[in-house]
Amino acid sequence: MAGKSNKGRGRRGSNNASNSSNPSEAVVLPDVSVKDTTEGASESAKAEAVDVSAAGESASADSVVKDPEAANSGSPQKQGDLQLFPVSVKTQNGEKLELQLNPGDSVMDIRQFLLDAPETCFITCYDLLLHTKDGSTHHLEDYNEISEVADITTGGCSLEMVPALYDDRSIRAHVHRTRELLSLSALHASLSTSLALQNEMAQNKAANSGDTLKTEVPELDGLGYMEDVSGSLGNLLSSPLKEIKCVESIVFSSLNPPPSYRRLVGDLIYLDVITLEGNKFCITGNTKMFYVNSSTGNTLDPRPSKANSEATTFVALLQKISPKFKKALREILERRAAAHPFENVQSLLPPNMWLGLYPVPDHKRDSARAEDALTLLYGSEPIGMQRDWNEELQSCREFPHTTPQERILRDRALYKVTSDFVDAAINGAIGVISGCIPPINPTDPECFHMYVHNNIFYSFAVDADLEQLSKNRADANSKAITAILHSSEKSTDSSLSGDSEIVNGGKDDSSSSEVLANGMESTQDIPPETRLAENEQATYASANNDLKGTKAYQEADVPGLYNLAMAIIDYRGHRVVAQSVLPGILQGDKSDSLLYGSVDNGKKICWNEDFHSKVLEAAKRLHLKEHSVLDGSGNVFKLAAPVESKGIVGGDDRHYLLDLLRVTPRDANYTGPGSQSCVLRQELITAFSQSKSKETTNPQGADSVATDSQNVTDLDKQCFDCFLQDVSKEEKIEDDKELTSASAEVSDCYEEIVFNPNAFTEFKLAGSQEEIAADEDNVRKVSLYLNDVVLPKFIQDLCTLEVSPMDGQTLTEALHAHGINVRYIGKVAEGTKHLSHLWDLCCNEIVVRSAKHIIKDVLRDTQDHDLAPAISHFLNCLFGSCQAPGGKLISNSAQSRTPKREHAGHQSSAKHSRGQGRLKGKASSRKIQPSNMNMSSEALWSDIQEFAMVKYKFVLPEDAKSQVKKISVLRNLCQKVGITIAARKYDFNSTAPFQISDVLDLRPVVKHSVPLCSEAKELVETGKLQLAEGMLSEAYTLFTEAFSILQQVTGPMHREVANCCRYLAMVLYHAGDLAGAIMQQHKELIINERCLGLDHPDTAHSYGNMALFYHGLNQTELALRHMSRALLLLSLSSGPDHPDVAATFINVAMMYQDIGKMNTALRYLQEALKKNERLLGEEHIQTAVCYHALAIAFNCMGAFKLSHQHEKKTYDILVKQLGEDDSRTRDSQNWMETFKKREQQMNAHKQKGQSMNAASAQKAIDILKANPDLIHAFQAAAMAGGSGSSGSANKSLNAAIMGESLPRGRGMDERAARAAAEVRKKAAARGLLVRPHGVPVQALPPLTQLLNIINSGMTSDAVDNKDGDGAKKEANGLPPNDPTNAQIDQSEQPAKEEESAPVGLGKGLASLDAKKQKSKLKAGA
């Protein structure tokens, strides 16, 4: 283990924590992991520079341009401090290249830059010399910073790469790196990149041949995806990149290892190579170089075969012996260079993909792959000492963190170590579950087995066999070990679902953490029925809660108080908890090391002054109260943590706190048997404390305080939402909270709101009755706050589309961000019954979560060879209609699968012991096997309904099976369990839609506590406030700085980096720099695809944004292709019935309208109208949005009468929802008058005989005639005066109605426009050059010509025509006063503003908003 000092230096390269004798190979050895942090660093730096320079208009652009270059070099203390200096590098073969370095860069960073540069990417074994201006030469050690060696700021410094000697380890790493370079499998090309490249090629071709491109914009099959969702599964995955072959094969020769007499002259390795020309070579690698030897057949002949066939690197040698290799290598390097730099970066912990390629690609021979698979490592390093995860983690915690630079280094080290730990833990858990890693206590009963592998401690859930075995267990080990090892055990079986979403899944509900957590003895005091029933859920929930508690204490970051690294891995139905090993625990008896808390359920409690002071400090930050408890003998102790937590002094003399199951108080709404692990969420405690502290500090002014901070966040949300629809709204809610917290934390009262974590538990509280009653009352209050304030508010936000989750994962994130546990999802479903898309979403999630528990039982009892049949049979029961062969078995298996039941006494016989089935080859599991295959659809669905009732108190409708959205449920279930199925069309009407061959993979699903970078988070928050204030350059600076910090801490592949890119795109968009916005948006899209998944709703919204930006640049075909992809992704995640889909349809229609394809545009608008009327009701503001868009479309076609009818419909809805005085209602009225006037003018022209250009008018009429169904549908819609009422009279008047904003793809609403208007107003007031929407408009697209002719009579009503033109652009979200015609516009601007009503929309919104906020606040209070 590299010692502390080493790690301090090496935080950048902490990947190399295992000792390495040869400094030069450090870079390569864990090749993959090095890349994790910074691969692509130099390219991304270059890309960044380009991006930013595009932002010319933004005032701060110049000062910031250089900054991102630095994204990976040192870390900026403040925005301007970071400076880069050019340093030339002389490579081994004499070439020169130049790097931009910062004095704070470490030598590891330079190695990483060189590993990414195409000229040096295949050189891995070298020393670096630094030549300074005065002629001195320094040898650079890996962990040096450049500034420690020489001052590069004076200029005149240069670096030289000198070949170093290979050894056994570094030569293997070199060969490994070479193979990796020759494969494109690490390149993850995004569809967006390839669309842009295709478009560019097409344009070049068109430019060469001279014909215009505009003619054939293909019609895309967006509607088709929605009609046949199952059929579109195959379109999600693009076929893998075609590999470029460089050599036939490279294998380790069977002449290895070198004989002793050759070792003594330096031979290290022999390789057999077959080139593309068909020649076979045997190559010797020795300490200095690679050369072709003279071996033929089976005998070694070590003599060099030709004079010139030797080289210091393997690639250079291959280039000499094979011309075809040289050519192919050039192609590969070009392909990599053409990709976006982010596409070359490895992502840590990539999401599991639930679809696999279909037809399944052929499995081809690959000797390199075969060699890698030979050794069963399960995550441990093949060479060198095992990493001491705990020591690495805790010493990183101890890094100084006073200056920004130090904090970045500390965050970076923590992120790297934790990510590596999670990665190793997953691999180890697979070994543990497959039975390949032996337990450390083989004589104990099987369900208590514990495992240590690669310095990680693993334990399973303690299971149904708990009660018979507890006694043996308790005596088996000393109490402390029980405590510590047990701490992990009990945390073991909590259910996982895979996405961070469920990081505390719905499992924190119905279970007894205490049964396990508090030492085994407690089991004797509980009746066996309850025990049996609760165990399974308890073990699930307690692990989740422990992980949440560990995270909370890590974030509190109290000096001197330590936690173990922890991850929960769910695989094949088992839940394994992985923890770093507590120092000293495995070395003999440490029974005296427990200083704080209790091992035996409170019978004996330990206490220590020093430990208590640290725990108390953490308790203050976590809103926990210092309180008194009694132990079994009646002694009183003052604790500031849950009784069952354990404070232990490790062998390293650090103070560790374990078993943090209840860092938040019990949920007083759930107090029945089996709900001991129902605890509240930390987010709720924070929100409650803020609302209380506001009341106490400012009883009268509370309204205003809240309103202000609310307004700020609201504004932030609006502008955010408006341009980048893809924020999943739940994030906004978090932002909301964090911002309000900023204002709240000023008050001290915030600190004083504390809760007793041991209230409502079986521990005896000391102190007066009043105090105990007050503590319990406090907990009741916060539970009531959840029930009476938070839940109704959340349900209201869902109904008004303020929060618009698309799938199970975004729904869970939204619940959690509001502080609501998933066990309340049944209540959310009941509250949203009147909106079908929300009711469906909740029902689907409940079905998936229930089915997940049942399939886990099935998988746990399934042998390796039966996994695919068991999974496909389960899916057939869920989606098809499988009958069971025999009657008796079913009820039995149904019983064994239902979760805890209150009357579970008779179940014990049927309940198979899961522990027994764990390791393979047990007779018991064989007996059970058939019952899995005997499951029938009926039994499965009755189990699901029962589970939903017990767990979520929710009655699934009888026809749930036919009602659920099949694809959404299948996707959600596969993601939660880790299943991959073939991406083909499934016939859900058949009895058995799935074949065994459709099940392609089963992967572990993980929950972890990888830390976030607080520094960057604060910058982003401040940036959002600046953006809301219209301070574009300040916001730009802040977001860029956050981006730069995150790049250094996490590398580019991280969700938070994507967030920064999204905000940067928004700022550039506001500043009128669309090209720059597209570059940032493209980055966000790539990161989302890699970190969240190809079909995550955020990825869909990234595609939607790209489309809107491309459309702004008039690249409509490219925009439509992106829109088509967005629709495909939405159809998979949310299904066709979702308001966001309707909103996206409107955007697509606007694009078609813009290129003159009116019939297609009308089809999309009609679909959007149908969807909104069906989902939201005929009088929802979103429905008004559709009518308005239709009015504009008919206006563009010259059908003013229809325009007037549809605008009338809009007006009626707005009057009903907002009242006549609302500015938006008045605007709608102005539109109606405009359309009326045009209709009269047109009639007047006709009467005068000045009929318009007949051809164009005819064109419009022909379109309508060709689609009689359209016109009937619209007329019918316009006539019908639908009287459906909608209770949500507010938030969603959208972009299409207000001229100020881009048509949004995310539940369009007025916040968008309001924010946009606000941002511009403020920016203009500050004298910033803000172009309304830097949208260069086409010279005069066919549509505008049509308009001009239709509204002819040019001379007399010039202004009117301009207005029509404005209307058309307006409808597309482009501002009528377009920048490209700015000069002309200036003169008539006032007149035009008056005339074209919609542009002024949103003026009267501020007051409305203030009122709304007040009412919200009262509701909240």
Side-chain angles (χ1 to χ4, degrees):
M1 172 63 236
K4 287 188 200 176
S5 57
N6 230 359
K7 263 191 278 185
R9 303 256 73 78
R11 72 264 152 200
R12 311 212 167 184
S14 56
N15 53 288
N16 197 28
S18 37
N19 286 340
S20 103
S21 48
N22 175 354
S24 61
E25 92 242 349
V27 180
V28 237
L29 179 72
D31 226 297
V32 184
S33 52
V34 183
K35 282 208 298 284
D36 287 350
T37 14
T38 34
E39 171 151 0
S42 53
E43 290 116 300
S44 59
K46 286 178 217 149
E48 225 52 37
V50 182
D51 281 1
V52 177
S53 50
E57 275 103 336
S58 156
S60 67
D62 299 337
S63 61
V64 196
V65 168
K66 288 192 222 111
D67 214 71
E69 271 275 314
N72 315 32
S73 7
S75 20
Q77 311 211 341
K78 278 285 166 285
Q79 194 54 27
D81 295 354
L82 185 64
Q83 291 201 307
L84 297 175
F85 302 93
V87 176
S88 67
V89 181
K90 185 180 170 194
T91 66
Q92 294 187 0
N93 44 12
E95 287 180 42
K96 281 268 173 78
L97 61 133
E98 190 166 278
L99 292 181
Q100 296 286 334
L101 299 179
N102 170 272
D105 281 341
S106 72
V107 178
M108 292 294 282
D109 288 338
I110 300 175
R111 288 184 174 280
Q112 188 59 55
F113 294 144
L114 293 172
L115 204 57
D116 291 328
E119 300 88 341
T120 52
C121 59
F122 46 83
I123 303 173
T124 63
C125 196
Y126 57 91
D127 290 331
L128 278 172
L129 302 179
L130 178 67
H131 303 288
T132 52
K133 196 155 58 173
D134 56 14
S136 60
T137 301
H138 304 269
H139 182 273
L140 297 180
E141 292 294 334
D142 270 0
Y143 295 113
N144 282 353
E145 272 184 18
I146 305 178
S147 53
E148 297 169 10
V149 180
D151 182 9
I152 59 169
T153 54
T154 54
C157 292
S158 66
L159 287 166
E160 185 183 354
M161 297 168 74
V162 187
L165 296 177
Y166 290 106
D167 59 23
D168 276 319
R169 186 175 176 181
S170 57
I171 201 162
R172 281 170 174 74
H174 181 82
V175 174
H176 182 79
R177 169 70 178 162
T178 305
R179 281 172 167 172
E180 201 174 68
L181 273 177
L182 303 183
S183 156
L184 286 172
S185 58
L187 187 66
H188 302 266
S190 165
L191 177 75
S192 179
T193 317
S194 48
L195 286 177
L197 288 171
Q198 285 165 15
N199 187 56
E200 201 176 303
M201 281 154 60
Q203 278 177 338
N204 295 343
K205 206 182 283 176
N208 298 341
S209 59
D211 59 339
T212 54
L213 244 186
K214 281 284 159 250
T215 45
E216 22 60 87
V217 173
E219 198 163 309
L220 298 168
D221 186 21
L223 295 169
Y225 292 144
M226 294 299 162
E227 285 150 19
D228 176 17
V229 179
S230 173
S232 54
L233 286 180
N235 300 325
L236 177 66
L237 303 173
S238 43
S239 49
L241 286 176
K242 196 168 163 289
E243 281 286 344
I244 299 173
K245 239 186 167 184
C246 297
V247 286
E248 280 299 330
S249 75
I250 299 175
V251 292
F252 282 93
S253 168
S254 41
L255 295 168
N256 282 313
S260 52
Y261 58 89
R262 290 303 304 167
R263 288 284 316 197
L264 298 174
V265 291
D267 285 7
L268 297 172
I269 199 171
Y270 302 123
L271 300 167
D272 286 334
V273 173
I274 304 177
T275 60
L276 289 178
E277 290 85 354
N279 302 325
K280 295 184 179 179
F281 296 99
C282 184
I283 292 174
T284 299
N286 63 20
T287 51
K288 294 182 179 168
M289 63 187 172
F290 291 86
Y291 66 85
V292 177
N293 62 37
S294 308
S295 308
T296 49
N298 295 331
T299 318
L300 174 69
D301 180 352
R303 293 168 305 169
S305 70
K306 300 195 194 86
N308 68 342
S309 49
E310 59 180 48
T312 49
T313 64
F314 190 27
V315 168
L317 175 62
L318 291 171
Q319 284 178 318
K320 285 183 179 176
I321 60 178
S322 165
K324 285 188 180 173
F325 174 86
K326 199 170 186 171
K327 181 169 172 258
L329 180 69
R330 191 178 308 117
E331 271 182 56
I332 282 187
L333 292 175
E334 279 167 8
R335 174 86 66 88
R336 281 176 186 268
H340 191 281
F342 284 8
E343 293 175 343
N344 280 309
V345 185
Q346 295 298 314
S347 86
L348 288 170
L349 311 173
N352 287 338
M353 190 54 218
W354 67 284
L355 287 175
L357 286 170
Y358 180 84
V360 180
D362 297 331
H363 189 67
K364 298 204 166 77
R365 289 176 184 275
D366 179 347
S367 42
R369 184 187 62 221
E371 278 159 13
D372 290 343
L374 274 177
T375 41
L376 287 176
L377 296 171
Y378 292 113
S380 50
E381 297 280 330
I383 301 182
M385 275 173 67
Q386 290 187 334
R387 289 174 69 167
D388 182 340
W389 299 108
N390 193 64
E391 178 56 37
E392 280 187 48
L393 182 72
Q394 312 310 351
S395 46
C396 289
R397 283 251 160 81
E398 290 163 353
F399 279 4
H401 47 281
T402 43
T403 67
Q405 174 74 12
E406 286 174 344
R407 282 197 292 276
I408 288 172
L409 295 180
R410 177 178 188 250
D411 284 348
R412 179 172 173 169
L414 281 170
Y415 178 78
K416 188 75 184 76
V417 171
T418 325
S419 302
D420 287 354
F421 167 81
V422 173
D423 206 37
I426 295 172
N427 289 318
I430 294 175
V432 166
I433 291 169
S434 1
C436 299
I437 292 172
I440 53 175
N441 53 344
T443 54
D444 283 0
E446 192 180 318
C447 61
F448 294 119
H449 280 176
M450 291 169 272
Y451 305 79
V452 173
H453 171 70
N454 192 14
N455 278 328
I456 300 175
F457 176 89
Y458 297 95
S459 51
F460 278 100
V462 182
D463 234 335
D465 327 62
L466 179 70
E467 63 283 10
Q468 305 94 293
L469 298 160
S470 54
K471 300 180 195 97
N472 330 4
R473 177 79 182 101
D475 315 334
N477 298 347
S478 81
K479 280 209 174 124
I481 295 189
T482 311
I484 296 150
L485 298 183
H486 195 53
S487 79
S488 4
E489 238 159 86
K490 54 106 226 311
S491 37
T492 26
D493 197 52
S494 15
S495 105
L496 172 57
S497 30
D499 337 42
S500 48
E501 63 141 314
I502 332 225
V503 155
N504 54 324
K507 288 85 238 177
D508 25 354
D509 346 12
S510 34
S511 22
S512 96
S513 57
E514 277 82 39
V515 175
L516 307 150
N518 308 320
M520 298 300 204
E521 287 80 343
S522 63
T523 47
Q524 276 107 44
D525 320 332
I526 299 172
E529 306 83 88
T530 357
R531 244 195 336 251
L532 249 176
E534 292 168 5
N535 271 320
E536 175 180 0
Q537 290 288 298
T539 48
Y540 264 68
S542 51
N544 269 336
N545 292 346
D546 199 6
L547 182 65
K548 278 188 290 184
T550 305
K551 263 187 183 167
Y553 273 89
Q554 278 172 2
E555 280 163 24
D557 206 10
V558 174
L561 193 61
Y562 298 88
N563 302 100
L564 301 177
M566 179 175 178
I568 299 175
I569 297 97
D570 279 345
Y571 180 55
R572 288 181 53 171
H574 293 284
R575 167 159 282 193
V576 168
V577 173
Q579 290 172 310
S580 53
V581 178
L582 188 76
I585 193 59
L586 299 171
Q587 282 82 48
D589 181 51
K590 296 282 289 179
S591 45
D592 54 344
S593 64
L594 181 73
L595 294 189
Y596 196 81
S598 165
V599 182
D600 51 11
N601 214 19
K603 290 182 181 159
K604 174 171 182 287
I605 294 177
C606 300
W607 195 86
N608 168 293
E609 178 64 49
D610 186 24
F611 216 115
H612 182 68
S613 62
K614 290 174 185 167
V615 175
L616 194 57
E617 178 55 39
K620 277 182 197 154
R621 302 180 192 186
L622 297 171
H623 300 286
L624 292 179
K625 180 182 174 185
E626 184 180 23
H627 58 283
S628 311
V629 291
L630 297 166
D631 68 2
S633 327
N635 306 318
V636 177
F637 292 96
K638 257 195 162 0
L639 293 180
V643 176
E644 77 274 15
S645 60
K646 301 168 186 51
I648 291 175
V649 177
D652 54 0
D653 288 334
R654 291 188 179 109
H655 286 179
Y656 291 91
L657 193 60
L658 315 179
D659 281 13
L660 303 166
L661 289 132
R662 288 184 295 105
V663 174
T664 48
R666 275 284 296 275
D667 183 346
N669 303 328
Y670 281 77
T671 50
S675 53
Q676 283 95 322
S677 49
C678 293
V679 294
L680 298 167
R681 289 191 64 85
Q682 195 72 49
E683 296 92 332
L684 178 76
I685 301 296
T686 313
F688 178 75
S689 309
Q690 282 159 18
S691 75
K692 281 286 167 266
S693 64
K694 275 183 207 144
E695 283 170 29
T696 42
T697 46
N698 190 355
Q700 308 82 15
D703 267 19
S704 61
V705 175
T707 312
D708 292 350
S709 67
Q710 237 355 83
N711 280 345
V712 174
T713 44
D714 232 42
L715 194 54
D716 142 51
K717 286 193 306 196
Q718 299 148 4
C719 47
F720 181 39
D721 215 16
C722 147
F723 293 98
L724 291 122
Q725 333 94 293
D726 67 333
V727 204
S728 358
K729 304 210 165 155
E730 45 288 3
E731 290 172 21
K732 290 200 307 284
I733 293 105
E734 285 190 72
D735 305 340
D736 207 6
K737 281 222 206 77
E738 283 150 19
L739 284 167
T740 29
S741 74
S743 63
E745 279 185 12
V746 197
S747 77
D748 307 328
C749 314
Y750 178 67
E751 291 284 298
E752 289 159 19
I753 297 169
V754 289
F755 301 94
N756 181 341
N758 295 313
F760 293 111
T761 59
E762 74 271 37
F763 302 115
K764 302 182 190 69
L765 297 176
S768 65
Q769 279 308 311
E770 295 82 63
E771 194 185 341
I772 295 175
D775 283 354
E776 294 193 345
D777 192 46
N778 240 349
V779 174
R780 267 194 208 96
K781 268 186 205 154
V782 70
S783 303
L784 279 174
Y785 178 72
L786 168 60
N787 219 2
D788 302 345
V789 179
V790 178
L791 262 173
K793 168 80 174 72
F794 179 69
I795 290 172
Q796 183 197 345
D797 285 351
L798 284 174
C799 296
T800 57
L801 304 184
E802 181 87 5
V803 179
S804 180
M806 305 289 295
D807 63 352
Q809 183 177 346
T810 43
L811 173 66
T812 309
E813 282 168 8
L815 283 164
H816 289 174
H818 276 80
I820 303 169
N821 307 73
V822 179
R823 60 176 168 270
Y824 286 95
I825 192 171
K827 290 193 173 169
V828 175
E830 295 298 339
T832 54
K833 228 174 181 159
H834 59 289
L835 292 179
S836 60
H837 70 282
L838 293 170
W839 166 258
D840 285 348
L841 186 61
C842 295
C843 286
N844 290 352
E845 183 67 4
I846 289 172
V847 166
V848 169
R849 285 173 175 266
S850 308
K852 179 187 72 179
H853 283 279
I854 299 170
I855 193 173
K856 283 189 166 177
D857 277 0
V858 171
L859 291 174
R860 211 169 2 217
D861 302 324
T862 303
Q863 304 286 303
D864 290 10
H865 53 269
D866 285 325
L867 283 169
I871 292 171
S872 63
H873 180 71
F874 181 88
L875 293 176
N876 284 333
C877 290
L878 191 61
F879 297 108
S881 49
C882 292
Q883 297 309 314
K888 259 189 198 153
L889 269 161
I890 286 78
S891 57
N892 201 9
S893 79
Q895 230 139 43
S896 65
R897 286 203 172 48
T898 24
K900 59 168 185 14
R901 311 212 187 129
E902 267 49 67
H903 55 280
H906 63 275
Q907 215 183 309
S908 46
S909 56
K911 180 115 177 156
H912 33 277
S913 105
R914 262 178 235 69
Q916 305 300 41
R918 180 174 311 131
L919 294 181
K920 306 300 161 262
K922 293 274 188 301
S924 65
S925 54
R926 281 201 192 113
K927 269 179 263 168
I928 289 155
Q929 184 53 46
S931 73
N932 295 337
M933 303 308 283
N934 286 343
M935 180 194 290
S936 71
S937 296
E938 209 174 303
L940 174 61
W941 277 94
S942 75
D943 283 358
I944 288 176
Q945 283 167 326
E946 189 165 351
F947 195 100
M949 188 60 234
V950 171
K951 183 75 184 280
Y952 302 110
K953 311 280 181 281
F954 181 73
V955 182
L956 274 175
E958 281 305 309
D959 57 349
K961 183 180 174 188
S962 53
Q963 291 304 308
V964 293
K965 299 234 170 66
K966 305 276 196 294
I967 293 289
S968 303
V969 167
L970 177 64
R971 169 180 179 267
N972 198 344
L973 181 68
C974 287
Q975 286 174 333
K976 284 181 165 66
V977 185
I979 298 168
T980 304
I981 58 168
R984 68 174 181 85
K985 180 170 179 169
Y986 293 100
D987 174 12
F988 289 108
N989 297 322
S990 67
T991 51
F994 297 89
Q995 314 296 315
I996 291 176
S997 58
D998 290 330
V999 181
L1000 303 181
D1001 200 0
L1002 181 60
R1003 319 194 50 150
V1005 182
V1006 65
K1007 288 183 185 171
H1008 51 71
S1009 56
V1010 175
L1012 287 173
C1013 174
S1014 48
E1015 190 106 339
K1017 219 173 174 179
E1018 285 158 23
L1019 285 169
V1020 171
E1021 289 308 317
T1022 324
K1024 276 158 40 180
L1025 288 174
Q1026 302 282 17
L1027 179 59
E1029 289 297 310
M1031 300 179 167
L1032 295 185
S1033 55
E1034 289 83 345
Y1036 183 84
T1037 309
L1038 287 160
F1039 291 138
T1040 314
E1041 191 176 343
F1043 178 85
S1044 158
I1045 291 175
L1046 281 166
Q1047 273 266 58
Q1048 296 169 78
V1049 172
T1050 65
M1053 281 299 131
H1054 194 281
R1055 197 174 180 169
E1056 293 297 316
V1057 180
N1059 260 347
C1060 286
C1061 294
R1062 174 176 52 235
Y1063 285 119
L1064 281 167
M1066 192 200 310
V1067 173
L1068 292 172
Y1069 175 83
H1070 274 306
D1073 175 16
L1074 272 172
I1078 284 178
M1079 295 195 82
Q1080 294 293 355
Q1081 187 58 50
H1082 188 203
K1083 282 191 221 160
E1084 192 226 1
L1085 191 152
I1086 293 173
I1087 300 171
N1088 281 343
E1089 284 195 332
R1090 303 275 305 285
C1091 294
L1092 300 177
L1094 290 177
D1095 55 352
H1096 189 281
D1098 283 10
T1099 312
H1101 289 306
S1102 300
Y1103 273 101
N1105 291 341
M1106 284 294 277
L1108 295 174
F1109 293 163
Y1110 275 129
H1111 181 58
L1113 285 178
N1114 283 332
Q1115 303 196 2
T1116 305
E1117 179 179 357
L1118 198 51
L1120 283 168
R1121 288 190 186 285
H1122 279 79
M1123 271 302 189
S1124 173
R1125 177 72 172 181
L1127 283 172
L1128 166 68
L1129 301 182
L1130 290 177
S1131 73
L1132 293 177
S1133 57
S1134 69
D1137 297 327
H1138 195 283
D1140 280 24
V1141 175
T1144 310
F1145 276 177
I1146 295 180
N1147 287 344
V1148 176
M1150 298 301 181
M1151 291 177 186
Y1152 278 119
Q1153 188 176 311
D1154 236 27
I1155 52 172
K1157 291 206 164 191
M1158 294 306 298
N1159 47 355
T1160 313
L1162 288 175
R1163 262 207 3 251
Y1164 275 96
L1165 287 173
Q1166 184 193 12
E1167 277 299 315
L1169 179 63
K1170 276 199 237 158
K1171 271 193 201 313
N1172 277 340
E1173 286 190 331
R1174 189 175 73 248
L1175 297 173
L1176 305 169
E1178 294 188 0
E1179 300 195 350
H1180 196 280
I1181 296 189
Q1182 290 292 72
T1183 313
V1185 169
C1186 292
Y1187 280 119
H1188 176 72
L1190 280 162
I1192 299 272
F1194 284 127
N1195 172 50
C1196 292
M1197 298 169 66
F1200 298 127
K1201 187 164 186 178
L1202 283 170
S1203 291
H1204 183 266
Q1205 286 170 354
H1206 282 79
E1207 194 57 50
K1208 174 82 174 78
K1209 194 81 175 132
T1210 308
Y1211 176 73
D1212 293 343
I1213 296 176
L1214 294 181
V1215 168
K1216 192 154 190 175
Q1217 301 290 5
L1218 303 169
E1220 290 191 23
D1221 300 335
D1222 193 276
S1223 59
R1224 290 158 292 178
T1225 317
R1226 289 200 300 274
D1227 290 327
S1228 178
Q1229 195 176 359
N1230 292 349
W1231 271 113
M1232 267 176 12
E1233 287 161 15
T1234 307
F1235 294 146
K1236 193 81 182 151
K1237 206 179 336 176
R1238 289 194 191 150
E1239 192 187 340
Q1240 288 161 357
Q1241 282 167 357
M1242 193 168 76
N1243 295 340
H1245 291 324
K1246 274 184 188 157
Q1247 284 158 9
K1248 284 182 200 162
Q1250 302 178 332
S1251 67
M1252 341 154 81
N1253 175 322
S1256 296
Q1258 196 54 43
K1259 184 174 172 193
I1261 294 155
D1262 288 347
I1263 290 176
L1264 288 171
K1265 276 190 185 149
N1267 293 274
D1269 55 325
L1270 286 181
I1271 193 122
H1272 294 320
F1274 291 135
Q1275 280 170 331
M1279 303 307 171
S1283 59
S1285 82
S1286 158
S1288 55
N1290 72 6
K1291 302 268 185 187
S1292 324
L1293 185 51
N1294 101 326
I1297 290 191
M1298 354 211 127
E1300 285 284 20
S1301 145
L1302 214 64
R1304 297 182 40 241
R1306 185 159 187 83
M1308 316 199 152
D1309 65 24
E1310 114 238 347
R1311 290 162 301 140
R1314 201 166 57 213
E1318 204 66 22
V1319 166
R1320 285 202 195 89
K1321 209 158 58 195
K1322 287 182 179 156
R1326 300 177 67 249
L1328 280 175
L1329 166 63
V1330 180
R1331 294 164 27 189
H1333 273 315
V1335 180
V1337 161
Q1338 318 161 0
L1340 258 188
L1343 213 92
T1344 320
Q1345 290 159 7
L1346 177 64
L1347 247 176
N1348 288 346
I1349 298 160
I1350 290 176
N1351 301 325
S1352 57
M1354 295 270 121
T1355 42
S1356 55
D1357 2 300
V1359 176
D1360 231 310
N1361 168 51
K1362 259 181 176 297
D1363 184 32
D1365 207 47
K1368 178 242 142 201
K1369 290 180 200 162
E1370 226 273 298
N1372 293 291
L1374 312 182
N1377 45 335
D1378 199 87
T1380 46
N1381 310 329
Q1383 301 79 14
I1384 316 165
D1385 284 352
Q1386 293 304 304
S1387 52
E1388 288 127 336
Q1389 194 137 352
K1392 204 179 75 185
E1393 290 266 18
E1394 284 302 301
E1395 179 68 7
S1396 96
V1399 180
L1401 260 155
K1403 287 199 182 114
L1405 290 172
S1407 55
L1408 172 84
D1409 199 38
K1411 278 181 218 148
K1412 225 182 279 165
Q1413 293 302 348
K1414 276 194 183 130
S1415 61
K1416 250 193 207 170
L1417 194 88
K1418 280 176 195 139

